Amino acid sequence: MSKITPIKKNEYLKLMKIEKNIFGKKIFIDQLKNYLNEGSIKIWKISTSKIIGFTIFYHVSDEIEIIRIGITKSHQRKNYGTLIINKIKKLNVKRIFIEVSVENSQAINFYIKNGFKEIGIRKDYYKWNNDRIDALRLLFEY
């Protein structure tokens, strides 16, 4: 059984390890604290017997912008990301936005499977080493 709940301060290091495992870089404690000090940003964890993933998102009025969803590699493709998306959808909002690298076909397919539609491209949005990569803008709308 899994639970999705807000992250606690004593769990920051676990979230940083998951971030590094998934994305190859770690989010810094100061960045996490800044996120949590902003009232419109939410950080949730998903756990079974331990934390297996997280999401960071802005929630302003009737819109959400997902900053990141990360599920540990050993728990990917087991529906945990969809559980997070479904919980976000229950927050009484009209629109949910996300931006994904155009090169991340696995994430793009995940969001489309969960009802998101492509709405545009942000040219050169991500910086990866010395390269610039476009972001695909996606929207879930009620």
Side-chain angles (χ1 to χ4, degrees):
M1 176 106 184
S2 60
K3 296 192 307 193
I4 300 171
T5 56
I7 192 139
K8 298 175 187 165
K9 287 183 180 181
N10 66 345
E11 297 169 322
Y12 288 176
L13 290 176
K14 291 176 187 168
L15 190 138
M16 289 172 59
K17 286 180 185 175
I18 291 170
E19 171 88 358
K20 186 164 180 13
N21 171 266
I22 299 166
F23 300 107
K25 59 183 178 183
K26 64 179 168 183
I27 198 165
F28 296 101
I29 289 275
D30 291 341
Q31 191 176 7
L32 275 176
K33 288 179 184 174
N34 288 339
Y35 280 152
L36 289 172
N37 287 335
E38 258 196 64
S40 61
I41 294 183
K42 310 292 183 219
I43 304 175
W44 292 348
K45 65 182 177 188
I46 184 166
S47 15
T48 53
S49 58
K50 63 181 182 177
I51 298 173
I52 59 167
F54 67 95
T55 185
I56 303 171
F57 61 93
Y58 287 99
H59 184 186
V60 179
S61 186
D62 62 353
E63 293 186 350
I64 285 178
E65 181 172 353
I66 299 172
I67 299 168
R68 178 168 286 133
I69 292 180
I71 305 293
T72 56
K73 290 182 180 178
S74 60
H75 290 85
Q76 290 177 2
R77 299 189 178 275
K78 296 182 180 173
N79 217 33
Y80 293 111
T82 297
L83 291 174
I84 290 173
I85 291 290
N86 288 340
K87 181 148 183 169
I88 290 172
K89 287 177 179 176
K90 292 178 183 175
L91 291 175
N92 193 26
V93 295
K94 292 182 181 174
R95 288 177 289 282
I96 303 169
F97 295 91
I98 187 150
E99 294 163 343
V100 180
S101 165
V102 295
E103 296 180 359
N104 190 344
S105 59
Q106 182 177 338
I108 292 167
N109 291 334
F110 166 77
Y111 290 111
I112 289 171
K113 178 186 95 172
N114 281 283
F116 286 73
K117 306 284 184 226
E118 297 179 19
I119 59 168
I121 297 280
R122 287 190 190 233
K123 297 299 273 174
D124 299 331
Y125 186 73
Y126 296 106
K127 185 177 182 184
W128 186 258
N129 298 323
N130 291 326
D131 295 326
R132 303 298 290 188
I133 301 169
D134 296 345
L136 177 64
R137 298 186 70 227
L138 298 157
L139 168 68
F140 178 88
E141 195 166 29
Y142 289 93

